[in-house]
Amino acid sequence: MKRVVTFIILFIMPLSLYASAPQKELVFSTHNYPPFSFVDESNNATGPFVDILTLACKRLNYKCEFISVPNRRSKLMLKNLQAQGNFPMGWNIDRNEWLYFSIPLMKMQYGFFQPEGAKKTIKSLNDLQKMQIAVFGPSNASFQLIKIQQQMIKDGLREFDIVLLTDANGTGVKMIENNRIDGYFANTLQARARLKQFNLHHVNLAFLQSESPYFIGFNKIQLSPEQIALFNKALLDLYQEHDQFKDILKPYNIDPILITPEILSRFNIITD
């Protein structure tokens, strides 16, 4: 009943007033995306994002709730004002229009996976021509893959076909193992987690395409810049105290990220 009442109030209260109201309770939506986010035996959301956010919420004396649901629903919760934040979140220009972002919390990489013994190996983007490449989406991975496709067309190269996979349950690695597609574009750690989960041993990372930070995304309608600055200040303090979150990230085999003024400026991160 509490969530229903809150949801109704959101539409009665002017949005500008809602954003400026003190926010002491935060709901974060996420989905099963190991090793960055997953559910434990009790079906509770867990992982490095939850670990870091729990510390930040405790420091700010906020009551925070973490809800793990399928990916599309988790993003809809953020858009429909049922959650104030969502993770893991990659930055792109479209999302920057309606989201504030936390400081970068950890490093992630995108790459192309192929089956062992592939007839044509992906060693550069030129090798993608006329291939069928699968990607999970809609997601930041699919956004980045479409950008690659568009750039290839501009460069006069033959485009590749994108096979969009709408479930986040590891279908891509299974398709690669069974030679149903030429390549799979994915977050490298997440793909490897799925390979381990399904005990698949004949899929390899063929080409590392990019490296970028992972964030928490906050809906601009629900939170003010001042509230984001306060939350990011708490995260920055914790980042320094935990040596770039190395102690938190190490159990998940996730690399830390070096936060610089240039990175904060590049991604329009509010810290003051």
Side-chain angles (χ1 to χ4, degrees):
M1 177 62 70
K2 182 179 178 182
R3 287 190 193 172
V4 174
V5 173
T6 303
F7 186 68
I8 293 172
I9 290 175
L10 291 179
F11 287 93
I12 296 174
M13 182 187 296
L15 296 180
S16 60
L17 291 178
Y18 186 82
S20 63
Q23 187 64 257
K24 296 295 185 181
E25 295 187 14
L26 295 176
V27 174
F28 294 92
S29 60
T30 186
H31 65 287
N32 191 31
Y33 198 71
F36 302 97
S37 179
F38 49 96
V39 293
D40 60 19
E41 295 178 353
S42 301
N43 208 35
N44 295 314
T46 188
F49 277 92
V50 173
D51 295 345
I52 293 169
L53 282 169
T54 298
L55 292 175
C57 291
K58 182 178 180 181
R59 175 152 301 188
L60 292 167
N61 197 28
Y62 285 3
K63 179 181 178 182
C64 294
E65 181 180 5
F66 308 100
I67 301 176
S68 183
V69 292
N71 177 60
R72 185 167 294 185
R73 183 179 167 194
S74 77
K75 297 297 192 296
L76 284 174
M77 286 183 68
L78 188 62
K79 285 191 173 183
N80 294 339
L81 312 184
Q82 295 170 298
Q84 287 78 45
N86 180 272
F87 62 84
M89 186 70 73
W91 190 98
N92 64 53
I93 193 68
D94 290 347
R95 288 175 175 174
N96 190 58
E97 292 295 318
W98 65 284
L99 295 176
Y100 293 124
F101 285 85
S102 70
I103 63 168
L105 297 179
M106 59 198 74
K107 191 180 294 184
M108 55 85 69
Q109 298 172 323
Y110 286 125
F112 293 90
F113 288 80
Q114 287 190 286
E116 287 183 356
K119 293 180 180 180
K120 183 180 179 182
T121 304
I122 301 172
K123 297 181 180 179
S124 70
L125 297 183
N126 287 1
D127 297 324
L128 297 174
Q129 296 179 90
K130 300 173 67 174
M131 282 189 171
Q132 277 196 323
I133 305 296
V135 64
F136 165 68
S139 66
N140 193 53
S142 62
F143 179 91
Q144 299 301 329
L145 188 61
I146 291 170
K147 283 179 62 178
I148 293 171
Q149 185 185 58
Q150 292 171 342
Q151 185 60 51
M152 288 178 64
I153 294 172
K154 289 181 180 179
D155 293 342
L157 300 173
R158 294 186 180 183
E159 64 181 296
F160 55 89
D161 293 327
I162 294 178
V163 179
L164 192 65
L165 308 175
T166 57
D167 73 82
N169 299 320
T171 300
V173 295
K174 293 178 181 178
M175 292 178 71
I176 281 289
E177 177 84 1
N178 295 323
N179 287 283
R180 292 172 55 194
I181 49 178
D182 298 309
Y184 177 50
F185 185 71
N187 178 308
T188 57
L189 279 181
Q190 201 276 330
R192 284 170 172 152
R194 292 301 189 191
L195 289 169
K196 182 178 180 180
Q197 175 187 351
F198 300 127
N199 198 29
L200 303 177
H201 304 287
H202 303 290
V203 176
N204 298 314
L205 176 64
F207 179 65
L208 184 63
Q209 194 272 329
S210 65
E211 185 175 275
S212 59
Y214 251 166
F215 308 84
I216 305 156
F218 296 93
N219 193 314
K220 288 184 177 181
I221 291 177
Q222 299 192 71
L223 297 171
S224 68
E226 292 76 17
Q227 290 168 322
I228 297 300
L230 180 64
F231 202 90
N232 275 336
K233 177 62 168 60
L235 287 173
L236 275 173
D237 289 344
L238 290 165
Y239 172 85
Q240 294 172 348
E241 292 170 17
H242 289 263
D243 190 18
Q244 302 178 3
F245 295 129
K246 289 177 183 177
D247 58 331
I248 296 174
L249 301 176
K250 186 176 180 180
Y252 302 101
N253 295 314
I254 298 174
D255 291 332
I257 186 164
L258 177 63
I259 298 178
T260 64
E262 291 75 20
I263 286 181
L264 296 177
S265 175
R266 174 186 172 191
F267 294 107
N268 301 320
I269 308 302
I270 301 173
T271 57
D272 52 33

